[in-house]
Each structure stands twice: as structure tokens, then as C-alpha cells.
Amino acid sequence: MNPTPLLEKARQLRADFPILSQAHPSGRPLIYFDNAATAQKPRVVIERLSAFLATQNANIHRGVHWLSQEATHLYEKARETVQHFLGAASPEEIIFVRGATEGINLIAQGLRRAYFQPGDEIILSTLEHHANIVPWQLVAEELPLRLKPLPLTSAGAVDVSALPDFLSPRTRLIAITHTSNGLGTRTPIEEIVAFAKAHDIPVLLDACQSIVHEAIDVQKLPVDFLVFSGHKLYGPTGVGVVYMRHPWGRKLPPYQGGGDMIVRVTWEKTRYAPPPAKFEAGTPAIAEAIVLATAIHYITDTVGYDFIQAYEAYLTDLAEALLRDVPGLTLYGTARPRGPIWSFNIEGIHPHDLGTFLDSWGIAVRVGHHCNQPLMDALGVPATARLSLAFYNLPEELQTLQEALLAAVEFFHKPLPSLRHE
Ligand code: PLP
């Protein structure tokens, strides 16, 4: 493959991200490799947020005045943008929430009140982010429910061959990540959805780390629920999406009560609005939802998933080759297909020390447990360093990372000078 056209496009796109041309306080160029935590924002997103607040801001769904009608129109257009982005059948299936965490809590609490029975079981996986563990534990403590995490293969992917053994007559949901935020490995979700459909079990897909790297169409991948966060998809914080396939939105009760989610309130009884309003109590993140639609248009129309896939595949091969050349480096989870996210440790260097050392080189990586403590337990490590890439990262940044890692090996393995005076 000739990477030149891909590299040219990556360099052009990178210029859309003002934050990336800043220098680090060390004077070195800033190298941002913490994209799985949150992505940087292109200028169109920054400017759209500012323009909305400067010229279009009003509360929605309530006003008869011009600004309110305009803001309502934009907010509902944003919902349609997300609908088409995911291939959802109707805007009713798209609920704006604060983020994936709130989205999973909304689904968990809804299922708890309208679906689960004591003793039911949920299949998850060892890869789950805490956001797809703790909301179920909260429900499990009350009912109770049993949570059954699928194991991993030796290469760090979800072991789907274990699925038949995990199934029982009490299995009522499979809630699973699409791409691991810790290891980058991609769950064989097509197989899991086919298995679930064959056994009439609904599936919740945590698409936080996959939707950034691959297009998802809920008609081709017929999950029942899907969540993602706007800020990881080059949009603002404070907004995320729940896709809830019809008729789940009709079956589940509201998550929160308040304004905008009702048809009629009396002291005796309140009638709820149909979905999605039923799940959007109070003033939502209006500006952020509208700007998320701008981010989605930027990704689909300006960047393009074909480019993202091709360029990130090139970066993936390069990153793995460069990391493998660092003495004492252990890569956790090497399975393919994968997203461009890697966890690693270097023998004799604590990941937090490594993170601080890399920061002195202007390189931002994440260190810690990555909200993946059960995964860390399975790997037998307390923490890792995590490299996560976006389409604006460049090969020379990966070269600098390798140089910095080699320098870290030398620095941390240098014998300490003797303190004894002869
Ligand atoms: N799920 C996965 C796989 C994630 O990576 C994250 C965030 O890192 C979340 C859920 C939670 O997202 P948020 O904190 O935006 O709600």
C-alpha cells in the first residue's frame, strides 16, 4: 500500500484541530495520544458551538417565540442526523443523554422496573468499562441479578466460544463493548448478535470506542440498545446518545421525571410523553446535541469512514512494529480486528512513572486502570500505559513515542549512583 495519499489527507485534516498546533510547556510539540479518553475538536465544532450560543440560544419545546422555535428545530434536526448516522428507523429511537454512562444507567433502570425478574442473568465480558458494569451491579443488588462476564482469548478478545456455556434459561440480556477501551480489541459482535437473536435475547452495545473508528448501521447489526458519548466522537462533552430500538422505548418507564417528558400532570396521575421525550426530562444539553450533529457531519462528509479505516490500519501496523522494538515492553491484547488502542507496560517501570516521563516529552498517554479494573485483574496487573490514536495522529509522532520509550528504558534502568563516600 502506498501511504502517501493517506498521509496527505491526515496532514490536511490535522490542520482542522487548533489545539494540536500548540506547544507543550516543555517547548516540544504536543503529541496527543489520549484519544480514547476524549477526542480533540475540529474548528467547525468549536465555531458551531460559539455561533449557536451567540445567535440561536433559547430553551426548546416550550416557547412560541422565534428563537425557541429555531433552537427546537435545530435540536430535532440533530436527532435526525444521529438517526441517519446509525441507520435507525425513526427519530423516536434516538435519545439524547449526558453521555454513555448516563445512557447505560437509563437502560438499566428502565429494564429493572419493566423487564428483569429476580434471579435473571446478564452476560457481559471481561473487557467492560466500569460504565457497563456498575449500573448493572446497582440493579443486581436490588433484585438480585447474576452478572456473568465472558472470558478473553489469550490475544485479549472476547471468547465467543464460551457463549453457549454462559447461556441459561435465565439469560435476559447481553450487554457488551464493541471495542475495548483498555486493549483496543474488537468484540466479534456479529456472532454475538446472531447468537442472541437465535435465543431471543436483547443486546446492548457499548459503541463508545468503536463508532470513532467504524460506521455502525443498526439495520445490519440489529442490536436493541446502543450507546456512545459525543466527546469521544470529536463533539462536545455533556451529550451522548442512546439508540433504543422500537418498541423498547414504549415498554420502558422514564428514567427521570420533570419538565418536557409529560403529556399531562395532575396530582392524581401523570401521563408520560411518548419516546424519545419520555426519556429527556428537563432542559437537555441543547447546544451540545446540535454541535454533536456538526461533529457527525464532519466525520461522515469531510473525513469519511473509509479514510479513517485505511489510515488507522496503516498507523496500527506502524505503532505495533515500533512498540515491539522497545526492550522489556509487554503489549496486552494483540487480537485483530482492533481499534488503534494499546495497553502496555515496560518491565521495571511503573506506568505512572512512564506517563510522567512521556509527559516531559510532550506526549499525552493515559496511565492507570482505564475504568477497567476487572480487566486489569484478569491481566494480573494494577495498571497499564495506554496509547490511543485518532486520524489526526502522524507517523512521526509514533516515532517520537518510540524514542521517548527507549529513553525511558535507559533512564529508569540506569544504576543509581552510589551514595557511599569512599
Ligand atoms: N464505555 C466505554 C467503552 C468507554 O471507553 C467509556 C469512556 O471511556 C465509557 C463507556 C463511558 O463514557 P462517558 O464517560 O463519556 O460516559
Side-chain angles (χ1 to χ4, degrees):
M1 183 197 47
N2 170 15
T4 310
L6 293 174
L7 277 165
E8 274 168 15
K9 181 158 177 175
R11 285 184 210 287
Q12 268 168 22
L13 291 170
R14 187 183 170 89
D16 292 342
F17 292 79
I19 204 168
L20 299 175
S21 54
Q22 276 188 105
H24 181 267
S26 62
R28 291 172 179 268
L30 174 68
I31 297 183
Y32 188 74
F33 283 153
D34 196 15
N35 295 287
T38 199
Q40 297 304 347
K41 319 303 171 200
R43 199 172 279 106
V44 281
V45 162
I46 300 165
E47 287 174 358
R48 185 69 191 93
L49 186 60
S50 165
F52 176 83
L53 295 176
T55 64
Q56 294 168 311
N57 178 56
N59 211 330
I60 54 167
H61 295 153
R62 296 161 208 200
V64 291
H65 60 82
W66 161 64
L67 268 184
S68 174
Q69 302 230 338
E70 179 69 3
T72 302
H73 170 73
L74 291 168
Y75 183 79
E76 293 306 327
K77 285 286 286 181
R79 195 188 305 282
E80 283 172 25
T81 298
V82 177
Q83 177 205 339
H84 296 131
F85 178 56
L86 293 176
S90 92
E92 176 185 319
E93 296 180 322
I94 305 299
I95 301 159
F96 284 122
V97 286
R98 270 172 41 227
T101 301
E102 187 179 57
I104 297 174
N105 277 281
L106 181 155
I107 299 163
Q109 291 300 324
L111 292 174
R112 179 227 174 292
R113 285 162 58 209
Y115 176 69
F116 290 132
Q117 296 295 323
D120 281 348
E121 297 180 354
I122 305 176
I123 298 177
L124 305 105
S125 86
T126 306
L127 291 177
E128 300 315 312
H129 187 282
H130 296 167
N132 198 30
I133 300 175
V134 187
W136 305 112
Q137 287 178 328
L138 289 172
V139 173
E141 275 170 18
E142 282 178 37
L143 271 175
L145 293 179
R146 190 161 164 225
L147 307 185
K148 294 166 81 173
L150 288 165
L152 302 183
T153 64
S154 57
V158 172
D159 185 358
V160 271
S161 71
L163 209 40
D165 290 339
F166 274 60
L167 182 74
S168 92
R170 301 307 304 266
T171 307
R172 298 279 279 161
L173 179 73
I174 299 178
I176 202 151
T177 191
H178 199 182
T179 292
S180 162
N181 66 297
L183 304 185
T185 49
R186 186 186 183 282
T187 301
I189 192 66
E190 293 76 8
E191 269 178 73
I192 291 177
V193 170
F195 179 89
K197 291 283 139 198
H199 295 89
D200 207 18
I201 299 165
V203 176
L204 181 156
L205 185 65
D206 177 352
C208 277
Q209 299 294 345
S210 55
I211 202 144
V212 187
H213 306 294
E214 61 176 296
I216 299 177
D217 181 334
V218 294
Q219 303 310 326
K220 293 191 188 126
L221 187 65
V223 294
D224 297 80
F225 306 96
L226 177 150
V227 296
F228 69 87
S229 288
H231 67 98
K232 296 184 197 287
L233 191 64
Y234 309 95
T237 49
V239 68
V241 167
V242 168
Y243 161 75
M244 198 182 281
R245 182 178 292 274
H246 181 76
W248 282 107
R250 303 273 161 165
K251 287 192 211 161
L252 298 194
Y255 176 50
Q256 294 181 327
D260 228 24
M261 48 76 76
I262 53 87
V263 172
R264 177 81 174 105
V265 178
T266 65
W267 289 115
E268 289 70 40
K269 182 159 178 63
T270 289
R271 271 193 298 125
Y272 307 128
K278 177 166 126 181
F279 299 106
E280 294 183 6
T283 301
I286 303 165
E288 291 77 4
I290 292 166
V291 177
L292 174 59
T294 307
I296 289 174
H297 284 303
Y298 175 76
I299 294 303
T300 54
D301 306 347
T302 305
V303 183
Y305 275 107
D306 288 350
F307 168 75
I308 292 177
Q309 294 256 292
Y311 182 59
E312 290 183 351
Y314 161 74
L315 287 183
T316 293
D317 289 343
L318 182 65
E320 289 189 356
L322 290 169
L323 289 175
R324 285 209 173 93
D325 266 358
V326 176
L329 187 145
T330 303
L331 261 187
Y332 302 101
T334 51
R336 300 229 180 164
R338 62 178 306 110
I341 304 172
W342 296 267
S343 262
F344 60 91
N345 274 322
I346 299 181
E347 203 184 340
I349 310 178
H350 192 281
H352 282 89
D353 292 337
L354 184 62
T356 307
F357 185 89
L358 292 177
D359 183 54
S360 73
W361 277 62
I363 301 173
V365 295
R366 172 90 9 163
V367 290
H369 55 66
H370 319 296
C371 298
N372 271 153
Q373 283 180 340
L375 171 62
M376 295 295 126
D377 291 344
L379 297 174
V381 294
T384 67
R386 183 184 71 183
L387 163 68
S388 57
L389 305 181
F391 59 78
Y392 45 60
N393 287 124
L394 298 172
E396 53 267 34
E397 293 181 304
L398 288 169
Q399 301 278 1
T400 305
L401 173 69
Q402 191 202 42
E403 239 182 274
L405 291 174
L406 293 171
V409 171
E410 202 183 307
F411 178 81
F412 287 102
H413 290 171
K414 214 167 30 191
L416 288 171
S418 167
L419 296 175
R420 211 146 41 95
H421 294 287
E422 298 304 326

